[in-house]
Amino acid sequence: MVLSRIILGLLALAPMTGYDLKRHFDSTVGHFWTADKAQIYRTLAQLVAEGLAEVETVAGSRAPDRQEHRITAAGRAALAAWLASEPERQVDRDPFLARVFFGADLDDGGLRLLFAQRRAATRAQLARFERMRAGAEASDRGARLRLATLDNGIAHLRTELAWLDAVEGEIGE
C-alpha cells in the first residue's frame, strides 16, 4: 500500500514512465523508501487496473515509444486520503543489526571489519545526501517538505555514525 501511494505522489509531481519513477526513487525518496524496477512496474500496472493512474503511449522520435503514466482524479483522491490517514509504523529490517545482535561469535577482527564496512557505507550515503542537500532549494512548501525528509535522512546517518563509535568503544574495552 505504501509503495503505491509513494508512486501516486511521484506521479502527482509529473507524469512519468516506469524508468523515470525508478530514477526518482533512487535520487529523491530513496533515503526513506526503496523499490526495485519489478516492484515499480507491478505497482504501476495495479494502479492502472484500479483506475488510480492511466497510461499513455508517447511516440519517440529517435527512441522507442514511452509508456507515460499519469495520476487520475481517483488517484489524487486516494493519495489525499492516505496523506490524511494515521501514519502506520513500519518495522525496520536491517541485516547489519541482525549481525550485531548475533556478533558475539565473531573474533575481534571480524567485528572490527563489520563495523568498518557499515561506517564506510554510512559515510558514503551521508556524503551523497549532503551533496543532494547542498544543491537543493526550498522554493515552495512542497520543496521544503521534501527537503525535510532529506534532512531526516542526514540526521539518522549522523546518529548512526555516533552510535557506531559508541558501540565500538564499549565493545573494545
Side-chain angles (χ1 to χ4, degrees):
M1 165 89 151
V2 176
L3 176 60
S4 67
R5 295 321 183 246
I6 291 171
I7 290 175
L8 286 175
L10 290 172
L11 292 177
L13 296 174
M16 295 184 206
T17 65
Y19 175 80
D20 295 333
L21 282 164
K22 178 59 176 148
R23 247 181 341 124
H24 278 278
F25 265 89
D26 294 345
S27 65
T28 61
V29 300
H31 60 278
F32 62 85
W33 202 273
T34 60
D36 63 36
K37 194 166 55 168
Q39 290 172 305
I40 291 170
Y41 281 96
R42 196 169 41 249
T43 304
L44 276 173
Q46 176 187 349
L47 290 170
V48 169
E50 293 172 356
L52 302 178
E54 58 191 14
V55 63
E56 176 185 348
T57 301
V58 178
S61 59
R62 293 191 173 141
D65 293 349
R66 299 168 20 108
Q67 299 296 310
E68 194 169 77
H69 295 80
R70 300 180 190 302
I71 190 169
T72 63
R76 287 187 188 281
L79 178 60
W82 177 70
L83 290 170
S85 69
E86 184 175 340
E88 57 279 358
R89 186 76 182 158
Q90 295 271 322
V91 176
D92 292 332
R93 298 186 307 185
D94 189 333
F96 168 74
L97 289 178
R99 288 177 175 92
V100 171
F101 188 88
F102 296 110
D105 290 337
L106 286 173
D107 62 20
D108 289 345
L111 202 51
R112 275 193 300 276
L113 178 61
L114 177 67
F115 278 83
Q117 290 170 333
R118 181 62 170 228
R119 180 176 282 104
T122 302
R123 283 183 178 150
Q125 186 77 313
L126 178 59
R128 183 174 153 260
F129 287 1
E130 287 175 337
R131 281 191 306 274
M132 290 169 63
R133 184 64 173 100
E137 293 184 28
S139 56
D140 59 28
R141 183 178 186 201
R144 285 190 297 277
L145 289 169
R146 288 187 290 277
L147 285 177
T149 66
L150 182 58
D151 291 340
N152 178 273
I154 289 169
H156 278 269
L157 291 168
R158 288 178 178 161
T159 299
E160 179 159 333
L161 288 170
W163 174 83
L164 286 165
D165 290 342
V167 171
E168 281 189 301
E170 188 178 303
I171 292 171
E173 296 175 354

